[in-house]
Amino acid sequence: MGTAPPDTAEGLTPVEAARSLIPLLAAEAVRTEERRALTETTVTALRRAGLLRLGTPAAYGGQGAGARTAVDVCEELARGCASASWTAGIAYGGALFASQLPDPERETLWRDDPDTVVCGTATPSGTARRTGDGWTLSGRWPWISGIRHAPWTLLGFARPGTGGEPERDMAVVPTSALTVEDTWHMAGMRGTGSHTAVADEVYVPDSRTISFTAMADGVYRRRHPGEPRITFHLSINLPLVATAVGIAAASLEKVLDAAARGRPALSPLHRLVAEAPAHQLNLADAATLTDTARLHLRRAADEIDTHARAGHRPALAERARLRMDAAHAMRCARDAMSLLLDTAGAGSFADGSALQRAWRDIETASRHAALSVQTSKEIYGRALLGAPLPPNPVI
C-alpha cells in the first residue's frame, strides 16, 4: 500500500507545496523505482498540490510559473524522489512548449483539466511527410520521460527549410495515437519511465506544430502577448538541473545527519567521522559545490525570467553564459555527490541504500545531452572569443 497523499495544497506556494510532499515522495521512492514509473500515489499528490500545472498558462487554470519557481519546486521534490522531480520538470517544459500553440489548440489541451501533462522530446527523429495542411509522422522517438502519465506527447521532427537547410519543429500528438514501447531499463532515474514513442502514419495539423525558428524569433510571444517569452532550451531545462541539485542537497543532509549521530570512523586515527579532518574538509567541499550549483542555477533562472517577462530573447553571449551556468551547476551537483560517497563509505552502495539510488540517479540525469558540459564550454568559449557560431535557433 502506498502512502496517502494530502488532500490539498490550498494556501501554500508551489515551493511550500513541494516541500510538504517530501516525506510522501521518499516513502514512495522504492516502489517508484521498482515500477519504473511514478506510483499513482505520487501522481495524485503532485496533481493535488498543483505541481503538474506549473507551466500551464494562467488563462487555463495553470500556475503560469517562471523558471525560478519551477527550479525551486524541482529541487524540493528531488529531496524526496528524483524521478518525481524530473517528471514535474518535464511537465513544466512540455507545458511551455504547448503554450505556444494557438488558443483553440490550447483549449483542447487544458480547458477541462489544467493538470494535463504534456511530455516529449525536442530531438528530431522519424520522418515527416507533408500532407494537406499538416504533417504525417512515422518513426521512433526514444527516452520520453513521463509518457505513461501524459495524454499529449511532443515529437521533434525535421522539415525542409526555405534556405535548403532542414528546420526543426515539434508536433503535439495525442499519446493515444502512439505506441509506447517499454525501453527504459536504466541504472538511474528508473521511475521516470522514459520509454520510446512509436508513430505509424500519424497526422498532425499545422496548428499543432511548433517551429524552433518562430519561437526563437518571438513569433509566439506576439500570439500570446501577455505571457512570458520562451528561450529554448534554457526555460525548458533549468528545472531538470534542479533535480540534480536536490539530489545532492538531500544526500548532504543524510551524510551530515549520520555523522552527527556518531557514525564511527573506520580509521586508526579518529574514533568518529565528525572528528576526522579529512571528512570535515570533504563535507565542506561537498556543501560548497552544492551551494555553487544552486547559486548558478538560480542566477540563470532569475535572468531567464527577467527576459521572459520583458518579451526579450537574451543576446547570444548571455545565452551562452546561461547555458554554461546550467551545465556547470549540474556538474557541481554530481561532483558533490561523489565526495559525499567518499565520506559515507562503501556501505552506501548496498542494495536498498537511499544514497546508492541517489548516486545512480544523479549519474544518469547529469548525462542529459542538452546539459553537456563539454558542448556548453565550447559554445561559451566561442562566444567569449567572438568566434563564429552556427545560426541555429537551438543555440
Side-chain angles (χ1 to χ4, degrees):
M1 295 291 290
T3 306
D7 289 335
T8 180
E10 187 176 354
L12 299 179
T13 67
V15 177
E16 291 169 340
R19 190 173 299 130
S20 74
L21 295 184
I22 293 173
L24 179 145
L25 298 180
E28 292 291 304
V30 172
R31 289 183 61 234
T32 290
E33 182 166 72
E34 290 172 347
R35 295 176 75 250
R36 292 181 301 114
L38 302 187
T39 66
E40 289 308 311
T41 298
T42 293
V43 174
T44 299
L46 292 172
R47 173 181 282 268
R48 289 181 178 176
L51 301 182
L52 296 181
R53 63 175 69 179
L54 285 175
T56 304
Y60 297 94
Q63 305 275 8
R68 175 59 186 272
T69 296
V71 159
D72 290 346
V73 163
C74 287
E75 180 181 339
E76 293 295 334
L77 293 176
R79 293 171 183 265
C81 175
S83 291
S85 170
W86 189 271
T87 304
I90 290 293
Y92 174 76
L96 292 191
F97 272 130
S99 68
Q100 310 304 295
L101 296 174
D103 277 320
E105 298 293 356
R106 304 201 312 174
E107 288 179 10
T108 299
L109 266 65
W110 292 307
R111 178 183 54 229
D112 298 325
D113 183 7
D115 297 298
T116 294
V117 174
V118 182
C119 66
T121 174
T123 303
S125 187
T127 61
R129 185 180 75 253
R130 187 66 179 165
T131 309
D133 294 327
W135 299 89
T136 297
L137 305 182
S138 293
R140 296 166 55 83
W141 283 260
W143 316 141
I144 299 182
S145 300
I147 193 168
R148 297 292 191 192
H149 310 290
W152 295 88
T153 300
L154 290 151
L155 300 178
F157 69 97
R159 60 174 174 80
T162 55
E165 293 295 322
E167 292 275 353
R168 286 183 60 176
D169 283 14
M170 295 188 77
V172 183
V173 180
T175 306
S176 59
L178 306 170
T179 299
V180 179
E181 287 190 1
D182 188 333
T183 56
W184 187 246
H185 300 273
M186 306 293 281
M189 302 300 290
R190 292 175 180 172
T192 61
S194 304
H195 300 303
T196 296
V198 181
D200 183 11
E201 295 289 291
V202 174
Y203 174 75
V204 185
D206 286 334
S207 60
R208 286 187 185 165
T209 63
I210 302 158
S211 161
F212 279 86
T213 298
M215 187 162 53
D217 291 343
V219 172
Y220 302 132
R221 164 75 177 190
R222 295 192 289 274
R223 176 183 285 170
H224 306 294
E227 296 178 9
R229 179 172 173 173
I230 306 304
T231 300
F232 184 80
H233 65 88
L234 293 160
S235 302
I236 307 296
N237 287 336
L238 290 179
L240 305 183
V241 182
T243 295
V245 177
I247 293 170
S251 299
L252 176 63
E253 290 177 1
K254 286 183 175 68
V255 175
L256 288 173
D257 181 65
R261 287 187 287 105
R263 182 172 180 271
L266 301 179
S267 163
L269 303 177
H270 301 281
R271 186 175 63 87
L272 300 175
V273 164
E275 296 172 346
H279 290 307
Q280 293 165 2
L281 297 174
N282 204 38
L283 290 170
D285 282 342
T288 301
L289 282 168
T290 303
D291 281 343
T292 298
R294 184 180 293 114
L295 289 168
H296 276 276
L297 182 57
R298 287 180 173 175
R299 178 178 75 168
D302 286 341
E303 291 190 25
I304 284 294
D305 281 345
T306 297
H307 286 289
R309 287 190 296 267
H312 299 153
R313 187 187 191 204
L316 177 60
E318 188 174 2
R319 294 200 306 275
R321 177 177 59 77
L322 291 168
R323 182 177 183 137
M324 190 69 239
D325 277 349
H328 183 64
M330 182 69 93
R331 177 59 64 86
C332 284
R334 190 172 84 194
D335 289 348
M337 188 74 215
S338 180
L339 291 173
L340 292 170
L341 290 167
D342 287 344
T343 288
S348 303
F349 295 89
D351 287 343
S353 165
L355 286 175
Q356 190 225 53
R357 184 173 65 248
W359 167 64
R360 288 186 285 105
D361 285 343
I362 204 167
E363 289 290 331
T364 302
S366 63
R367 265 71 181 194
H368 192 287
L371 301 167
S372 165
V373 171
Q374 289 79 7
T375 301
S376 297
K377 280 184 179 180
E378 183 177 359
I379 291 172
Y380 189 34
R382 287 194 189 189
L384 287 172
L385 293 168
L389 282 162
N392 190 318
V394 174
I395 297 175

